[in-house]
Amino acid sequence: MSVMSDKMRTYRSHPMSLVFNILTKIAVTLTIGIFVLIVGYVIIKGVPYLKPSLFSANYTSDNCSMLPAIANTFIMLLAALVIAAPLGIFCAVYLVEYAKKGNRFVRLIRLTTETLSGIPSIVYGLFGNMFFVLALNWKLSMLSGACTLAIMVLPLIIRSTEEALKSVDDSFREGSYGLGAGKLRTIFVIVLPPAISGILSGVILAMGRIFGETAALIYTAGTVAKYAGLSDSGRTLAIHMYSLSNEGLHMNEASATAVVLLVVVLLLNGLASLAAKKLSKGGN
Amino acid sequence: MIITDTENTAAKVLTKELHCGNKSGRILEKGMKALFFLCACVSVAAVVVICVFMFAKGCPAIAKIGVKEFLLGSDWSPRNVPASYGIFPMIVGSLYCTAGAIIIGVPIGLMTAVFMAKFCPKKLFKWLMPPINLLAGIPSIVYGFFGMVVVVPLIRNVFGGTGNSVLTVSIILGIMILPTIVGMSVSALQAVPDSYYEGAVALGATHERAVATVVFPAAKSGILASVILAVGRAIGETMAVIMIAGNSPIIPESMLDGVRTLTGNIVIEMSYAEGLHYDALIGTGVVLFVFILLLNLCFNLITGRKDKG
C-alpha cells in the first residue's frame, strides 16, 4: 500500500509522468487489441462457412473448392524451399565458417541480403514476370513462381542460419580440429547439428511467407484454379483467396479461406519461434 | 571465444597434414569450399540481375514517354488514343498513404515499444511479445480482407463516401507496420546501458521522465532505423492496399477520396498490359524500386553509424 501511495504522490507532483505512463499503456492495449480483433474476427466470421464442399476434389465456380489451391501451395512450398534452403544455408556456412570476419566480400553479401529483404514483393513479381516468365520463356508456371519466391526468402534463411552457426561455441570447432577432423567434417558433423533448430526456425518462417504471398505470385505462377505440375500455371491458397474476394461473389468462401490461411501461418510462426527458443536454450 | 586468424591458419595446416593428405579428401574440401562460395554469390547475383532487368526495361520506357511527362504528368489513361502515361497521381497517392501510416503507426508503435522495454513486468512480457510478433506473420491478403469487411464499412458509415479512401489505407498500413517498429525499437531501447537510466533517476527524475528524456533519445538511431524500415514496408505493400484503396488514378483531394498507389497501379493493369503500356508499368516499378533503394541507403547509413559510434 505504501508503495502505491508513494507512487501516487510522485505522480501528483509530476503529472506529465502519469500521462506518459498511461499513454504507453493505451498503446499496448491498442496493439494487442488489434491483434485479437483481427484474428478473432477472421475466425468467428469464417469458421461457419468451412463446409465440406469447400474441400471437394475439383474446383468449380459453384463449390469454390480450395483443395487444388492447397495442393498447389504445398508444391510451391516444396519447390521454393528445395531451391532456397541449400543456397541460403551454404551461403551462411561460407560467411561464418570460411570468410574472414569483416572482409569486403562479407560486407557486400550483407548489403545485398539487406537490399533483398527490403524489396517489396510486387517488385519481385515484376522481376519474375520479366525474367522467368518472359526472358527464360518458362511461361506462367509454378516453377517461375517458385524461383521468384526462392530469391525472396533467401535473406530470411541466410540470416537465421548465420545467427544459428554463430551461436555454436568455438570450443566445439577447436575440439573437432584437435581430434584431427577436417574443416568439412567439422562443419557437417560438429557445427550444423547443434545449429539445426535455429536453421529450422528460419526455414519455417520462410514457409510462412511463401504460404501467405500473393503479389509476387499473381504474374509469375498465375491464377488457374487447377492441380498444377511444375510447368503449369496454378494458384496457391493466398491467390485463391484474393481471386474470391476480388470477384466479390464469394465473400463467404473467401472468409473461410482466410481462416485456413491465418491458422496455418500463425501455426508456422509459432513453430518457428519455438525452434528459435530451443536454440537459445541449447546454446546456454 | 573467437578463433584468431593465426589459430585458424594453424588449424588449417594441421587439418591438411592430418586428414587431407590423401588427394580425394583435399579435392573434396576445395570443391565444397568453392560450392559454399558460389552459393554465397547467389544473393549478390540476384540483386545485380534484378537491378539490371528493372532498369534496362523500365528506363527506356520512361525516356520514350518523357521523364517529365511520366513522373509529373497527372493523366494516366493508357487505353486512350494517344495514350498518356503520367504516374504523378500514384506517386502522390503512395506518399499520402505512407505518411498516413506513419502518423498512425509510429506513435502507437513507439509507445508500445517503450512500455515493452521499460515498464513491462517480465512475466507479462512473455505473454505480450508473441502476439506483436505474430502481427508480422499475418499475410497481407488477410489484412486486406479485414480492411475490406471491417474498416471500409466503418469509414463509410462514420464519414460517408465510399469508404475506399486514403484514411482506410493509412489505418491498415499503420497496423501492418506496428510489429516492425515495436520489434526493432524494443531491442534498441533494451540496448541502452542501464547506467543512463540510473543516472537520470539519481538526479531526481521520475521513472517515466528518465525513460522519456534520457533512455529514449539514447536509442534514437535504432528507433529511426525501425521507422525507415516501416516506411519501406508501407510504400511497398500491395495486396492489402488494392483491396481497400478504390484505385482510381486521380490525385486524392481529401482523406476520404479513393487513391491508387504505385504498387496498385502495377497489379491492377499488369494482366492486360502490352507494349509500351507494359513497359510503363515496369517504369512504375522502377520508381518504386528507387524509393526503396534510397530508403535502404538511409537505413544502412543510420545502422552503420551506430556500429561505429
Side-chain angles (χ1 to χ4, degrees):
Chain A
M1 274 315 278
S2 75
V3 178
M4 279 297 275
S5 63
D6 260 10
K7 255 191 172 167
M8 283 325 288
R9 206 171 307 140
T10 330
Y11 283 142
R12 202 163 299 152
S13 49
H14 301 278
M16 284 315 283
S17 293
L18 182 63
V19 171
F20 187 67
N21 194 322
I22 290 173
L23 278 179
T24 61
K25 282 183 179 137
I26 292 175
V28 172
T29 320
L30 265 176
T31 310
I32 304 292
I34 287 166
F35 174 77
V36 173
L37 182 69
I38 292 179
V39 173
Y41 185 87
V42 168
I43 287 177
I44 290 170
K45 180 105 204 254
V47 165
Y49 297 109
L50 274 175
K51 291 183 220 126
S53 72
L54 275 177
F55 298 97
S56 37
N58 282 303
Y59 172 91
T60 63
S61 51
D62 281 331
N63 67 15
C64 296
S65 165
M66 59 173 109
L67 211 57
I70 292 176
N72 290 346
T73 310
F74 278 106
I75 297 175
M76 186 65 82
L77 272 175
L78 210 67
L81 285 181
V82 162
I83 302 167
L87 281 178
I89 293 170
F90 284 179
C91 172
V93 166
Y94 183 81
L95 288 178
V96 178
E97 305 293 329
Y98 287 93
K100 288 202 187 79
K101 271 161 198 124
N103 84 4
R104 204 175 278 169
F105 184 65
V106 175
R107 260 184 292 166
L108 180 68
I109 290 179
R110 192 138 303 139
L111 186 73
T112 52
T113 47
E114 255 166 38
T115 311
L116 280 181
S117 64
I119 294 177
S121 50
I122 181 64
V123 173
Y124 282 112
L126 262 183
F127 165 73
N129 187 272
M130 276 191 289
F131 187 68
F132 298 116
V133 177
L134 297 176
L136 296 182
N137 202 17
W138 290 354
K139 309 260 165 45
L140 285 181
S141 65
M142 299 287 282
L143 188 62
S144 305
C147 289
T148 311
L149 289 184
I151 301 177
M152 198 176 88
V153 298
L154 200 57
L156 214 65
I157 296 178
I158 293 177
R159 198 173 314 144
S160 58
T161 309
E162 238 189 302
E163 294 299 317
L165 291 177
K166 274 184 192 158
S167 76
V168 176
D169 203 273
D170 270 338
S171 59
F172 280 46
R173 297 182 181 88
E174 284 155 14
S176 170
Y177 292 140
L179 290 171
K183 183 132 196 164
L184 207 57
R185 197 157 173 196
T186 306
I187 290 169
F188 280 105
V189 181
I190 304 296
V191 180
L192 280 178
I196 200 78
S197 58
I199 298 172
L200 214 58
S201 125
V203 172
I204 298 170
L205 266 186
M207 285 169 75
R209 266 205 81 180
I210 295 170
F211 205 86
E213 187 50 56
T214 339
L217 283 177
I218 290 188
Y219 298 114
T220 54
T223 54
V224 179
K226 275 186 190 150
Y227 295 99
L230 275 182
S231 57
D232 309 318
S233 161
R235 54 162 73 153
T236 62
L237 196 60
I239 298 184
H240 180 68
M241 184 187 158
Y242 171 68
S243 307
L244 288 182
S245 51
N246 208 28
E247 289 160 6
L249 298 171
H250 300 287
M251 289 311 281
N252 297 341
E253 286 81 357
S255 50
T257 315
V259 174
V260 178
L261 209 57
L262 188 67
V263 168
V264 172
V265 167
L266 291 187
L267 277 180
L268 285 175
N269 276 278
L271 218 61
S273 55
L274 214 67
K277 220 173 267 169
K278 206 175 159 204
L279 175 81
S280 64
K281 260 184 205 152
N284 294 335
Chain B
M1 275 300 283
I2 306 158
I3 303 183
T4 60
D5 278 342
T6 43
E7 278 174 316
N8 220 340
T9 353
K12 256 182 214 159
V13 172
L14 261 177
T15 334
K16 251 179 206 163
E17 278 178 0
L18 281 169
H19 259 249
C20 305
N22 55 343
K23 215 173 175 187
S24 66
R26 204 179 304 168
I27 289 172
L28 188 66
E29 292 266 345
K30 282 256 166 71
M32 284 304 280
K33 187 180 173 184
L35 179 67
F36 291 145
F37 179 75
L38 275 181
C39 290
C41 291
V42 167
S43 69
V44 182
V47 171
V48 171
V49 174
I50 289 175
C51 286
V52 166
F53 262 77
M54 292 297 291
F55 288 115
K57 190 106 183 171
C59 291
I62 296 177
K64 200 171 169 190
I65 296 162
V67 178
K68 206 180 147 200
E69 195 127 325
F70 185 68
L71 292 178
L72 297 177
S74 55
D75 181 28
W76 174 270
S77 34
R79 289 208 270 192
N80 279 9
V81 187
S84 109
Y85 302 100
I87 61 164
F88 190 62
M90 280 72 104
I91 296 180
V92 173
S94 274
L95 293 181
Y96 277 175
C97 293
T98 307
I102 295 303
I103 291 170
I104 293 172
V106 168
I108 299 179
L110 289 188
M111 283 299 186
T112 306
V114 167
F115 180 84
M116 296 306 288
K118 292 291 162 192
F119 296 168
C120 188
K122 247 202 175 123
K123 266 189 188 154
L124 202 59
F125 188 90
K126 232 174 37 191
W127 288 101
L128 291 185
M129 213 52 202
I132 296 176
N133 288 332
L134 282 178
L135 270 178
I138 297 177
S140 52
I141 183 90
V142 174
Y143 278 111
F145 179 77
F146 177 78
M148 199 157 99
V149 294
V150 176
V151 184
V152 169
L154 187 79
I155 300 285
R156 191 192 300 138
N157 294 336
V158 175
F159 297 104
T162 59
N164 293 315
S165 63
V166 178
L167 183 63
T168 320
V169 177
S170 302
I171 291 173
I172 288 295
L173 286 181
I175 296 173
M176 292 182 77
I177 61 174
L178 277 178
T180 313
I181 294 177
V182 176
M184 276 191 74
S185 300
V186 165
S187 8
L189 287 167
Q190 280 172 342
V192 176
D194 279 340
S195 53
Y196 284 41
Y197 168 78
E198 283 154 12
V201 171
L203 288 171
T206 60
H207 175 63
E208 287 81 7
R209 184 162 184 186
V211 171
T213 59
V214 176
V215 179
F216 194 80
K220 70 172 183 292
S221 70
I223 289 168
L224 200 60
S226 82
V227 173
I228 289 174
L229 221 60
V231 171
R233 253 204 100 175
I235 210 167
E237 183 48 52
T238 317
M239 302 319 283
V241 170
I242 62 170
M243 291 170 84
I244 52 178
N247 299 319
S248 50
I250 303 164
I251 298 177
E253 277 167 7
S254 82
M255 297 230 300
L256 299 172
D257 284 352
V259 63
R260 181 186 282 197
T261 60
L262 289 167
T263 53
N265 195 33
I266 299 169
V267 169
I268 290 162
E269 301 197 354
M270 234 348 223
S271 52
Y272 54 84
E274 272 171 355
L276 188 59
H277 185 190
Y278 180 86
D279 292 349
L281 293 181
I282 307 284
T284 314
V286 168
V287 174
L288 181 68
F289 194 47
V290 169
F291 271 122
I292 295 292
L293 289 181
L294 286 177
L295 285 171
N296 261 331
L297 193 70
C298 294
F299 181 80
N300 277 319
L301 284 178
I302 288 171
T303 48
R305 202 180 55 195
K306 191 178 68 183
D307 288 346
K308 267 177 215 154

